[in-house]
């Protein structure tokens, strides 16, 4: 089945130790999104890629970076995690057909990040 | 600018009772509207979407929602709640065109509890 896969599902890292979360998709979608979701809150968009074009949200801290080496994979790098970065990180994909319309976003299961 | 308001952060119903989760939106252009469900430690799953076709939209698991432009609402309903419906529900709006094409704006979520 076509899907969005996130690895690992649970990640523990130490304060200040760089960590990378990965997302892959078999849907061949041209847009990939990274969201941060803290407990009992709505997902907050960090950035997204439209093909290779990177779009950063204005309030995303510089501590968060992303890479998209090809259509299928996208990575979220947290350079120096703080305790406040503990959250669920969700990857999503969609297709944008320009003026023809907008597809819904397909979400992965998420990676729960713990910072010790 | 788009925004979503979900009235009631917590809703409790008895099994078999009507489920009504409220969502109001604001959008300067024709909206696309979505309801997503999130189970604990899972990603978001699409329940249903409105994309300017029929105003009454049927989704998975017996849920449906009605788009009412005059009320700027997109409330989610289910005639008879089941224990398995207990989850967090998010309403989201997206633009049908414009510079933020495809971007989702989420409400803060409604936690649904179903009592036996």
């Amino acid at each position: 089945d076509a899907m969005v896969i996130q690895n690992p599902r649970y990640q523990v890292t130490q304060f200040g130790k760089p960590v990378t979360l990965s997302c892959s998709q078999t849907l061949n979608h041209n847009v990939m999104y990274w969201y941060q979701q803290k407990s009992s809150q709505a997902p907050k968009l960090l950035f997204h890629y439209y093909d290779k074009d990177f779009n950063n949200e204005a309030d995303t801290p510089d501590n968060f970076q992303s890479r998209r080496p090809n259509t299928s994979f996208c990575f979220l790098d947290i350079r120096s995690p703080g305790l406040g970065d503990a959250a669920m990180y969700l990857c999503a994909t969609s297709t944008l057909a320009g003026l023809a319309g907008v597809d819904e976003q397909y979400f992965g299961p998420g990676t729960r990040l713990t910072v010790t | 600018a788009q925004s979503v308001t979900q009235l009631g952060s917590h809703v409790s119903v008895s099994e078999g009772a009507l489920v009504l989760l409220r969502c109001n939106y604001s959008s300067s252009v024709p909206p696309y509207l979505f309801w997503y469900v999130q189970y604990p430690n899972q990603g978001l799953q699409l329940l249903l979407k409105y994309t300017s076709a029929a105003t009454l939209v049927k989704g998975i698991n017996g849920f449906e929602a009605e788009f009412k432009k005059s009320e700027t609402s997109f409330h989610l309903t289910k005639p008879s709640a089941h224990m398995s419906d207990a989850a967090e529900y998010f309403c989201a709006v997206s633009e049908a065109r414009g510079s933020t094409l495809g971007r989702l704006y989420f409400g803060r979520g409604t936690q649904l509890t179903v009592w036996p």
Side-chain angles (χ1 to χ4, degrees), chain A residues 6-13 19 21 37-40 85-90 109-115, chain B residues 38-42:
Chain A
Q6 290 189 246
N7 286 306
R9 293 293 313 278
Y10 300 90
Q11 175 74 56
V12 179
T13 191
V19 65
L21 310 181
Q37 186 181 25
K38 296 189 176 181
S39 181
S40 301
D85 297 328
M88 174 79 90
Y89 289 88
L90 298 167
T111 295
R112 169 82 57 193
L113 179 68
T114 300
V115 182
Chain B
Q38 186 177 34
Y39 298 98
N41 289 314
Q42 299 284 329

Side-chain angles (χ1 to χ4, degrees), chain A:
Chain A
D1 287 341
M3 55 187 0
V4 181
I5 302 162
Q6 290 189 246
N7 286 306
R9 293 293 313 278
Y10 300 90
Q11 175 74 56
V12 179
T13 191
Q14 293 178 335
F15 182 93
K17 184 175 181 181
V19 65
T20 295
L21 310 181
S22 73
C23 176
S24 64
Q25 54 133 337
T26 61
L27 298 162
N28 203 33
H29 285 171
N30 54 357
V31 190
M32 294 187 78
Y33 307 82
W34 278 106
Y35 291 88
Q36 179 192 64
Q37 186 181 25
K38 296 189 176 181
S39 181
S40 301
Q41 295 185 22
K44 177 182 180 298
L45 183 63
L46 295 174
F47 24 60
H48 73 278
Y49 276 93
Y50 186 7
D51 292 324
K52 289 188 177 295
D53 292 334
F54 178 70
N55 298 272
N56 198 32
E57 293 299 299
D59 58 353
T60 297
D62 292 340
N63 199 25
F64 291 85
Q65 304 285 320
S66 185
R67 297 170 282 137
R68 189 179 186 186
N70 53 52
T71 299
S72 300
F73 286 87
C74 195
F75 299 98
L76 169 62
D77 301 308
I78 308 176
R79 294 192 297 186
S80 181
L83 297 178
D85 297 328
M88 174 79 90
Y89 289 88
L90 298 167
C91 175
T93 72
S94 73
T95 58
L96 291 184
L99 294 177
V102 173
D103 197 2
E104 70 263 26
Q105 293 185 20
Y106 294 77
F107 284 81
T111 295
R112 169 82 57 193
L113 179 68
T114 300
V115 182
T116 61

Side-chain angles (χ1 to χ4, degrees), chain B residues 14-95:
Chain B
S14 299
E15 191 172 23
L18 171 71
V19 176
L20 170 61
L21 305 182
R22 299 178 187 273
C23 173
N24 289 89
Y25 70 92
S26 67
S27 177
S28 57
V29 298
Y32 287 171
L33 293 158
F34 306 85
W35 275 100
Y36 283 88
V37 61
Q38 186 177 34
Y39 298 98
N41 289 314
Q42 299 284 329
L44 277 68
Q45 180 183 8
L46 182 70
L47 274 178
L48 48 81
K49 63 180 179 180
Y50 166 77
T51 57
S52 76
T55 57
L56 181 62
V57 181
K58 293 187 183 300
I60 62 171
N61 301 340
F63 283 93
E64 63 182 36
E66 186 172 9
F67 172 68
K68 292 187 177 180
K69 184 178 179 180
S70 61
E71 299 177 8
T72 61
S73 69
F74 191 58
H75 302 331
L76 181 72
T77 61
K78 182 174 180 178
S80 177
H82 192 272
M83 297 292 289
S84 60
D85 294 326
E88 185 92 23
Y89 291 80
F90 291 96
C91 181
V93 63
S94 179
E95 280 193 316

